[in-house]
């Protein structure tokens, strides 16, 4: 068979591959989540993989003509009424076809623009050859949580934003490929856990079980140290479980990563609020931990500080999402726990980031009559992932852009009835580089609302700082840590993730966790501070 006979060699490749895969698997539209994570095709698609000779014969021009493989997703009407994952994952054929689009740049910008420098070009080449487990192993060299980052990274601003193909068309779907190999590896049951080094006799306490804490734990246990993670909530995973909803990141994916860490020997203790139940000094002095990594995140919600914010029916997005995620309002059929009865109600969510987007899409799924996002800038300035904005629009979320609430109105019982808003226009860029919104005089109007959810940002979780003498903090109560070593001003105590940088991204928190692990290992080995 000549390479032009192969599906990936033709400009129609994506369509052909899609058509072929549809013939092999049932339509994915509106399908149940149980099928979502199943990659049923045979492990190595030899007939689709390219031999080295054929690789050379497939010129970049031909590769560029292959259309980007679309991510199959639940149909919007159906998914806006359930909490099952929206994206269903690429199948084997589409993944190999997509990988064939990569022109293997001599100086790959995708790698430069990945915050943890994943060797994307090599990973994609292994997928093209059908070596998915090899690709997963290569990915894990730099990224310990690929099934998670493949789902939640803002790829359009990172790896895919740098991909050369994006200059004239669609970039390689790096995030979708990352998710594909991670899911493939998990479902294959062939995830080889790395061997731990012989026990060093040293022990490390990690405070907080978000991506920063989890990735530090994974690296430190491999170095032979005893690792115990202390988590304030009753579930492990940080924002990955209490913030990001099931329809974007199924809890089973996070659980499987946590289970792997447990199998490697990491200990977890939940319901421990460090700073209240125990202090860092007590952990080091009484429980003999040799080092502590503080990864407590930035989960303290910020409010608008406008009149009416105390009314019944006004919530922070953090509280709303935590209750829905951890108290299982998203499984209303099985649990008698719909704490927020949004059914038939008019819900407004204020903000333009991932948190606001998650809250408004959650409200819709909980049965809101109208679910409206109110944001004071335009869509261009929205910090939310592009895919979430697209999905929200498809699900019928109403966008009130360049709009700002100035007061919440209630009835005589103190219950919310609406939000008084003004229209905004954009002027010069501010310190964040985004154009500053300015109120348009006389533009005031009333939006009726039964529920308002505020998702305008968060700040540092405070308890550890207040209970740890010698720990220097910034004026906004973030912990001061050396950017290279993540050492704080207190001997043996390191800090990283959102608690140092402020609210950022999963991949940056993960990168900080790995950096901290390397630095802690050095401290434990040399004893030098
Ligand atoms: C709703 C939402 C959606 C998001 N969506 C995305 C996205 O799509 N993509 C993306 O890249 N980023 C996203 N982010 C940001 C991302 O999740 C965070 O940047 C990341 O989780 C930070 O990781 P972390 O480990 O530093 O902290 P966290 O994930 O916040 O974890 C900190 C953990 O520490 C625990 N803790 C706090 N104080 C104590 C204490 N005193 N004692 C014990 N434990 C304590 C907390 O309970 C928590 O479990 C989102 C954030 C939110 C809130
Ligand atoms: S920039 Fe794009 S085309 Fe170039 S190596 Fe990276 S993924 Fe491939």
């Amino acid at each position: 068979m000549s390479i032009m006979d192969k599906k990936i060699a033709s400009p129609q490749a994506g369509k052909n591959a899609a058509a072929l895969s549809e013939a092999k698997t049932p339509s994915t539209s509106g399908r149940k989540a149980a099928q979502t994570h199943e990659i049923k095709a045979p492990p190595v698609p030899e007939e689709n993989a390219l031999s080295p000779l054929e690789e050379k014969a497939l010129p970049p021009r031909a590769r560029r003509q292959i259309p980007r493989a679309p991510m199959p997703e639940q149909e919007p009407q159906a998914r806006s009424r359930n909490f099952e994952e929206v994206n269903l994952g690429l199948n084997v054929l589409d993944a190999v076809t997509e990988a064939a689009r990569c022109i293997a740049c001599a100086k790959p910008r995708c790698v430069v623009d990945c915050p943890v420098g994943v060797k994307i070009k090599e990973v994609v080449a292994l997928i093209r050859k059908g070596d998915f487990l090899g690709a997963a192993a290569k990915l894990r060299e730099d990224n310990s949580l690929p099934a998670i980052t493949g789902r939640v990274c803002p790829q359009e601003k990172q790896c895919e934003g740098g991909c050369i193909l994006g200059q004239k068309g669609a970039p390689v779907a790096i995030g979708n490929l990352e998710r594909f190999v991670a899911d493939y590896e998990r479902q294959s049951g062939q995830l080889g856990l790395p061997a731990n080094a012989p026990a060093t006799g040293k022990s490390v306490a990690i405070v907080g079980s978000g991506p920063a804490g989890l990735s530090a734990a994974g690296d430190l246990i491999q170095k032979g140290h005893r690792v115990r993670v202390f988590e304030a909530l009753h579930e492990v995973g940080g924002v990955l479980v209490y913030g990001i909803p099931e329809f974007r990141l199924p809890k089973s994916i996070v659980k499987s990563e946590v289970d792997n860490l447990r199998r490697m020997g990491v200990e977890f203790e939940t319901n421990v609020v460090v700073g209240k139940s125990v202090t860092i000094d007590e952990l080091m002095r009484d429980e003999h931990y040799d080092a502590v990594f503080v990864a407590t995140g930035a989960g303290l919600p910020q409010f608008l500080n406008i009149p009416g914010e105390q009314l019944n029916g006004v919530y922070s997005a953090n509280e709303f999402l935590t209750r829905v995620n951890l108290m299982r309002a998203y499984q209303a059929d099985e649990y008698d726990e719909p704490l927020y009865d949004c059914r038939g109600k008019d819900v407004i969510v204020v903000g333009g980031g991932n948190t606001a987007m998650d809250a408004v899409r959650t409200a819709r799924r909980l049965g809101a009559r109208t679910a409206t996002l109110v944001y004071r800038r335009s869509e261009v300035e929205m910090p939310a992932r592009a895919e979430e904005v697209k999905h929200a629009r498809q699900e019928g979320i109403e966008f009130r852009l360049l709009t700002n609430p100035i007061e919440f109105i209630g009835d005589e019982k103190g219950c919310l009835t609406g939000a008084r808003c003004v229209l905004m226009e954009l002027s010069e860029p501010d310190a964040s580089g985004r154009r500053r919104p300015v109120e348009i005089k006389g533009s005031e109007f009333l939006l009726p609302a039964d529920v308002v959810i505020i998702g305008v940002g968060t700040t540092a979780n405070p308890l550890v700082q207040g209970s740890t003498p010698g720990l220097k903090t910034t004026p906004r109560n973030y912990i001061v840590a050396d950017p290279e070593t993540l050492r704080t001003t207190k001997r043996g105590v390191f800090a990283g993730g959102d608690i140092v940088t402020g609210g950022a991204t999963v991949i940056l928190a993960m990168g900080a966790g790995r950096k901290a692990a390397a630095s802690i290992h050095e401290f434990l080995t040399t004893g030098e501070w």
Side-chain angles (χ1 to χ4, degrees), residues 123 127 132 135-136 139 177-186:
V123 171
I127 299 172
F132 306 137
L139 198 48
L177 290 176
E178 181 183 13
R179 169 192 162 135
F180 169 80
V181 288
D183 287 357
Y184 181 91
E185 181 192 46
R186 194 179 60 257

Side-chain angles (χ1 to χ4, degrees), residues 102-105 108-110 120-121 162-165 172 174:
C102 171
I103 59 171
C105 305
R109 288 286 322 167
C110 54
I120 295 164
K121 184 170 121 177
C163 174
I164 188 93
L165 263 55
V172 173
I174 299 166

Side-chain angles (χ1 to χ4, degrees), residues 237-507:
V239 169
L240 305 177
V241 292
Y242 75 71
I244 304 180
E246 179 76 10
F247 58 83
R248 276 216 293 135
L249 177 61
K251 312 230 172 302
S252 58
I253 306 273
V254 183
K255 184 173 179 305
S256 124
E257 296 290 354
V258 172
D259 286 347
N260 287 337
L261 290 175
R262 281 188 213 277
R263 292 215 301 272
M264 287 163 70
V266 175
E267 301 159 28
F268 290 94
E269 195 172 335
T270 52
N271 299 313
V272 181
V273 184
V274 174
K276 287 272 182 209
S277 330
V278 65
T279 64
I280 295 227
D281 283 340
E282 285 166 353
L283 285 173
M284 297 184 90
R285 189 188 57 229
D286 304 340
E287 300 190 27
H288 309 294
Y289 284 96
D290 301 288
V292 177
F293 177 47
V294 184
T296 43
L300 202 65
Q302 288 183 318
F303 288 91
L304 295 165
N305 297 320
I306 60 174
E309 230 168 357
Q310 79 294 344
L311 288 165
N312 279 335
V314 181
Y315 309 101
S316 77
N318 274 52
E319 185 195 347
F320 176 75
L321 289 170
T322 304
R323 285 177 181 269
V324 173
N325 279 317
L326 292 191
M327 300 174 95
R328 312 215 184 254
Y330 73 95
Q331 288 171 310
D333 292 346
E334 293 162 49
Y335 290 81
D336 192 15
E337 190 68 67
L339 290 161
Y340 289 97
D341 190 358
C342 294
R343 282 172 296 181
K345 299 205 171 142
D346 294 318
V347 179
I348 292 176
V349 175
V350 186
N354 285 318
T355 307
M357 212 59 71
D358 284 342
V360 78
R361 295 175 69 200
T362 296
R364 178 109 192 120
R365 283 161 171 78
L366 290 176
R369 191 176 76 87
T370 61
T372 306
L373 192 90
V374 170
Y375 180 53
R376 62 193 183 133
R377 293 180 156 103
S378 76
E379 189 166 327
V380 179
E381 289 83 22
M382 272 190 176
R385 290 179 78 225
E387 188 177 51
E388 310 318 326
V389 177
K390 182 187 91 179
H391 282 163
R393 284 198 183 280
Q394 290 172 342
E395 289 161 12
I397 304 300
E398 195 183 330
F399 281 51
R400 289 264 187 175
L401 302 174
L402 290 166
T403 302
N404 203 28
I406 50 169
E407 182 182 4
F408 298 123
I409 313 291
D411 60 18
E412 64 289 348
K413 291 185 190 148
C415 294
L416 178 84
T417 55
R420 201 183 300 284
C421 299
V422 285
L423 296 178
M424 312 291 280
E425 60 189 351
L426 295 176
S427 73
E428 299 306 307
D430 62 14
S432 73
R434 293 180 299 173
R435 292 178 65 197
R436 196 164 56 86
V438 183
E439 182 178 328
I440 300 176
K441 293 259 174 307
S443 63
E444 212 174 296
F445 67 103
L446 188 70
L447 266 184
D450 304 297
V451 175
V452 164
I453 299 166
I454 316 280
V456 293
T458 52
T459 183
N461 281 337
L463 287 174
V464 166
Q465 300 87 311
S467 60
T468 314
L471 199 62
K472 189 172 172 193
T473 55
T474 69
R476 297 187 61 209
N477 210 20
Y478 290 104
I479 297 178
V480 174
D482 181 284
E484 287 313 311
T485 62
L486 300 191
R487 290 176 182 201
T488 66
T489 47
K490 192 174 172 77
R491 185 183 166 87
V493 180
F494 300 73
D498 281 7
I499 189 59
V500 171
T501 56
T505 60
V506 170
I507 191 89

Side-chain angles (χ1 to χ4, degrees), residues 174-232:
I174 299 166
N176 294 347
L177 290 176
E178 181 183 13
R179 169 192 162 135
F180 169 80
V181 288
D183 287 357
Y184 181 91
E185 181 192 46
R186 194 179 60 257
Q187 286 160 24
S188 74
Q190 297 180 60
L191 172 67
L193 293 180
N196 296 345
T200 60
K202 305 278 184 193
S203 49
V204 184
I206 296 182
V207 187
S209 66
L214 294 181
S215 48
D219 282 7
L220 284 164
I221 199 85
Q222 284 178 62
K223 303 278 186 204
H225 309 302
R226 180 185 162 226
V227 180
R228 193 166 182 85
V229 180
F230 297 91
E231 168 55 50

Side-chain angles (χ1 to χ4, degrees), residues 60-73:
R61 200 152 41 91
R63 293 175 190 269
R64 282 177 194 269
Q65 285 172 336
I66 304 172
R68 176 170 157 132
M71 169 60 86
E73 54 192 36

